[in-house]
Amino acid sequence: MRTLHPGHPGALFLAALLCLAALLAAGTPAARGQSENGDEEVVYIGQDGVIRVWDPTPVNGREVQWVSPSAGWIDLALGDFNADGDFEIVAIGADGATGKLAVFDPVVVGPAPNPDQVINGIPWDTLYAVNLPGIPSLVATGEFDTARPGHEIIYKYLLPVQDRVKPDDPFRFVILRAAAAQPDGRSWNVLTTQDTGNDWTQVAAGNLDGSGIDEIALVDRERGNLSVYRVTANGFERFYRNSAQERPWQAVAFGQFLAGGPAELLAVRSADSPLANLLAFQYVADTLDDFYSRFFLPPPKFVFLADVDGDGDDEAAMLRVVRPEFEPRARLFIRSNNRDDWMEDTLDADNGYRVGAGGDVDGDGRDELVIMRDNRLRLYTQPEIDVSRVEREVGTNEHSIQIANLDANGVGDRPRLGAAPTTLSVELVANAESDPYGIAVSDVTTGSAVPISARLESSVAWISSLSLSRDTTPTTVEVRFNARDLPLGTHTTRLIVEAEEAGVDNSPLFVNLTLTVRPGLILDPESLNFHYVPCGPNLPAQTQALHVGGTAGLSYAATITDEAAWLELDQASGTTPGTVLVTVNPNDRPADFVSTGVRVVASTEQGVVEQVARVNLLCAASQIFLPVIAR
């Protein structure tokens, strides 16, 4: 027999329980960081070769009105190149017989790097500029090196004759990555290159296989070729090809066409019935499987993705040319993986609209659509409902348009609300309640004390508590989730944090809250502890009840995880909610401290679920109580 002392496993077990209680009382600490400004901006190239930003929803009147300091730009793409949480612009252009590439930061937080680099009171900067030996034609961004934060750049240019490794491969793709482990957008080196004989007309990147590294899709409209590649240290490795000049591929887009999981690839082609001309591909067994296909007459010429109803999966928006004999068919239309009755619009009879992009330009959690022609941008403000729109009469290059958040970190030194995390997703077993989660809210630009309030966008029973640690920034919003009597599946709402005074950017601040309820078991308590103090011979048996809850109506069975002659189970099977009786006989113990588990297993439509409750038996000569000193 022994005395319970601080180093004994039983004492450690009790100390762990005290620590757990203290953690629950304090709440779960949240990582610090900056939240995104909800609205996104439209970036396009004008008819004059100048890059411009359209900010349809200025934040507190601070409109991003950036224009590039020079012309001659051919194409652009957006990415977070300095890993600061907002997006920058990479552009390619022509400079005589050679080319150029530059990275611009249209919204710099803090002092202007140059007094001349301020537009509408917002500082901007050129992070990188380089001359190219040949004229470029394509540029895109992606995640090609997960060891370094931020996005990488891929571009294609025409090789000078003297630089060609093979005469039949006159084009070269180059992938640039940040030169440093902590990127600043100012220094780059080459990750890999690939020479090709195809004059590809589109490049896009997305993660099809779930590895975290993007794949590359290339389209050649002239030869009808669609090919998909992995990026390797030695160039591109093709794992999918579909080529037919009589039914040429026109355009591709990566996105979340199916909710959850890796991205899917959508592609459109010029094909006649009975062949489909919209296809959605997913990665299966090292190739692509077209799990969704549709035929349209006339066929679509361009496709882009947008989550117009904010439900977590993207819809496919398409543009096509409609000749007079097919009037009045829509030139712009939307389809999703489970619905066809979306908004359609006939547009202009001259078929001027050829490209578009999707993004949340008003910060409401749902994407809007922007389409472009030679002299106009058209923004559909609620495409999930109707054709409501606003237009901007501008000259464009007709093909370069992107949407992303350029001012996520604010547009100056005014107070700006930020949250970490910006989304909170919790998974619970049916009828379970979560520990408290903390969402840190602060003024991310000046660090000042901003009076705020917090509320839910819609009243939901599955948020059991919502509280502020203090009513001025910095503060923590504590949220507790509750799956009691809640149907299985995913439930969403938004936390709204608002400044109680004017002049604060990103107010209201939105944080998406998601609760996924899955079938499963809940054991109460999570551990059963049997103590015999003082220890001696002929000790009586003790019985405790282990309550089995979770999804109601599950048939369960309980077993002992290890061979333990000192432990018996009664009422070991039943239907939730139920009770398993756990009895220990200390006289059969092999040692003064023994531990095992009770495993409870049940079958659901989604598979087998199980939970284990620990059972600890401690026999000690005496127990010493020590004072707790709080500091």
Side-chain angles (χ1 to χ4, degrees), residues 79-145:
D80 184 1
F81 304 125
N82 53 12
D84 66 348
D86 64 13
F87 278 64
E88 291 79 46
I89 302 168
V90 58
I92 53 171
D95 190 2
T98 59
K100 59 182 179 178
L101 181 148
V103 175
F104 301 105
D105 189 348
V107 179
V108 173
V109 177
N114 185 314
D116 296 330
Q117 294 179 195
V118 178
I119 299 176
N120 194 33
I122 301 173
W124 65 273
D125 199 7
T126 300
L127 302 183
Y128 180 73
V130 66
N131 291 324
L132 304 178
I135 295 177
S137 55
L138 294 176
V139 66
T141 62
E143 180 59 81
F144 305 119
D145 184 357

Side-chain angles (χ1 to χ4, degrees), residues 253-259 264 266 278 280 292 302-318 332-343 357-359 365-369 382-385:
F254 286 91
Q256 205 68 65
F257 194 61
L258 298 177
E264 291 80 40
L266 270 72
L278 165 67
Y292 172 97
F302 189 78
V303 60
F304 59 100
L305 295 175
D307 185 5
V308 299
D309 56 358
D311 67 349
D313 60 5
D314 291 330
E315 286 70 54
M318 287 164 283
L332 170 66
F333 56 101
I334 302 173
R335 293 295 185 271
S336 64
N337 68 307
N338 54 12
R339 178 180 161 191
D340 291 339
D341 58 335
W342 294 94
M343 174 272 285
R366 295 179 293 272
D367 286 346
E368 287 72 49
L369 306 182
Q382 49 182 23
E384 75 280 11
I385 300 174

Side-chain angles (χ1 to χ4, degrees), residues 149-271:
H151 293 109
E152 285 73 51
I153 298 168
I154 178 173
Y155 66 92
K156 183 196 104 180
Y157 73 98
L158 178 65
L159 280 164
V161 174
Q162 67 273 15
D163 293 342
R164 298 175 188 177
V165 178
K166 296 179 180 179
D168 292 337
D169 291 343
F171 303 99
R172 174 170 292 173
F173 281 98
V174 179
I175 296 183
L176 297 179
R177 69 173 178 180
Q182 295 300 320
D184 58 8
R186 299 181 183 275
S187 56
W188 298 82
N189 60 28
V190 175
L191 176 63
T192 192
T193 65
Q194 178 71 39
D195 292 353
T196 176
N198 284 67
D199 189 7
W200 299 100
T201 54
Q202 186 188 4
V203 56
N207 189 202
L208 292 169
D209 63 5
S211 66
I213 297 178
D214 285 350
E215 286 72 47
I216 295 171
L218 299 178
V219 174
D220 181 349
R221 285 193 293 268
E222 298 302 319
R223 299 186 184 183
N225 191 351
L226 166 62
S227 293
V228 185
Y229 298 84
R230 286 192 183 87
V231 176
T232 72
N234 299 318
F236 299 172
E237 178 185 292
R238 184 168 62 195
F239 65 91
Y240 180 82
R241 182 176 187 267
N242 188 309
S243 182
Q245 197 160 9
E246 66 275 13
R247 46 180 185 277
W249 295 97
Q250 299 293 312
V252 294
F254 286 91
Q256 205 68 65
F257 194 61
L258 298 177
E264 291 80 40
L265 177 68
L266 270 72
V268 293
R269 64 184 179 182
S270 297

